[in-house]
C-alpha cells in the first residue's frame, strides 16, 4: 500500500469524519441520558408529593377533663366516647409510659392494654394509635401513620378566656 502524503491526507480526513460522527453520537446519548434522568427525578418527586400527608379537618365532639383542665376532643376514626377514654387514660398517674429520647415530645402510653403515642405542648395535644417503635440516632421514637387519632386542645389556653375551642381543627398524619 502506498504511504505517500496523499494517503496521509485521506486518512486524516477519514479520522476527522469518524471523530465528528463519534462526537455527534455521544452528544445524542448524553442528551438522552439527561432527559431520562430528569424524567425519573420528576416522577420520583411527584410520587413523593402524592404520598405526603394531606391535612385532615375534624370536628369537635365534646370535652374531657385532662391534666391541664377542660379540653375539647377532636377524634379521627374513632367515637367521641373512645376519644374521651383515651385522653383520660393518658393522664392516669399509674399508666405505663415508654418515654422517647431528646427531641421527641411525649411517649407511648399504655391505655387498656394498647400503646398509644401521646404528645403535645402548650395547649395542643394528641394521642395516636398504633405505636410503632423506631430508633433514631439510638434514641427511642415512633413512626406513623396512625389509624386512629384524637386531637385535644386545652380551651383555657387558646384565645381569650370564655371563648372556648374551635368547632374544627386540621392536622397532618406523621
Amino acid at each position: 500500500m502506498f504511504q505517500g502524503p496523499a494517503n496521509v491526507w485521506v486518512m486524516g480526513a477519514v479520522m476527522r469524519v469518524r471523530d465528528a460522527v463519534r462526537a455527534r453520537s455521544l452528544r445524542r446519548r448524553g442528551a438522552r441520558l439527561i432527559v431520562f434522568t430528569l424524567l425519573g427525578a420528576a416522577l420520583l418527586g411527584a410520587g413523593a408529593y402524592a404520598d405526603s400527608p394531606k391535612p385532615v379537618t375534624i370536628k369537635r365532639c365534646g370535652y374531657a377533663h385532662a391534666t391541664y383542665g377542660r379540653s375539647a376532643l377532636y377524634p379521627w376514626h374513632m367515637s367521641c366516647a373512645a376519644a374521651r377514654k383515651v385522653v383520660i387514660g393518658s393522664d392516669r398517674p399509674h399508666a405505663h409510659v415508654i418515654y422517647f429520647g431528646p427531641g421527641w415530645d411525649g411517649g407511648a402510653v399504655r391505655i387498656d392494654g394498647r400503646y398509644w403515642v401521646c404528645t403535645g405542648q402548650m395547649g395542643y395535644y394528641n394521642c395516636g394509635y398504633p405505636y410503632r417503635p423506631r430508633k433514631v440516632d439510638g434514641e427511642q421514637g415512633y413512626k406513623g401513620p396512625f389509624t386512629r387519632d384524637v386531637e385535644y386542645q386545652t380551651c383555657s389556653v387558646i384565645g381569650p378566656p370564655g371563648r372556648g375551642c374551635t368547632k374544627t381543627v386540621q392536622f397532618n398524619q406523621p
Side-chain angles (χ1 to χ4, degrees):
M1 190 160 163
F2 177 72
Q3 295 291 327
N7 194 14
V8 171
W9 181 83
V10 171
M11 289 300 289
V14 170
M15 292 303 284
R16 280 193 300 268
V17 170
R18 275 190 195 159
D19 289 342
V21 170
R22 189 175 294 139
R24 189 178 323 129
S25 174
L26 287 174
R27 277 194 300 268
R28 285 183 186 154
R29 286 184 190 151
R32 286 183 192 140
L33 181 63
I34 290 171
V35 167
F36 285 127
T37 303
L38 291 175
L39 181 63
L43 289 174
L44 284 174
Y49 178 75
D51 289 342
S52 64
K54 306 286 187 265
V56 178
T57 301
I58 48 180
K59 294 181 182 180
R60 180 184 69 221
C61 72
Y63 297 90
H65 187 74
T67 302
Y68 299 108
R70 184 175 180 219
S71 297
L73 302 175
Y74 303 91
W76 181 70
H77 287 235
M78 60 192 306
S79 69
C80 195
R84 186 174 290 109
K85 189 175 185 179
V86 167
V87 169
I88 292 170
S90 69
D91 288 336
R92 287 195 179 124
H94 300 294
H96 183 258
V97 179
I98 300 171
Y99 292 101
F100 301 146
W104 295 82
D105 282 338
V109 182
R110 188 176 178 131
I111 303 167
D112 290 335
R114 296 180 176 177
Y115 281 97
W116 290 69
V117 176
C118 295
T119 65
Q121 58 186 353
M122 298 181 64
Y124 297 90
Y125 307 95
N126 78 304
C127 289
Y129 179 82
Y131 165 56
R132 295 182 184 100
R134 176 179 153 196
K135 294 272 185 180
V136 177
D137 296 329
E139 298 294 337
Q140 187 64 43
Y142 66 93
K143 65 180 179 178
F146 298 132
T147 56
R148 289 181 270 168
D149 190 276
V150 59
E151 303 286 316
Y152 58 106
Q153 297 179 359
T154 306
C155 300
S156 60
V157 175
I158 302 166
R163 179 177 160 246
C165 290
T166 60
K167 291 186 187 275
T168 62
V169 294
Q170 281 194 343
F171 81 102
N172 291 321
Q173 283 283 359

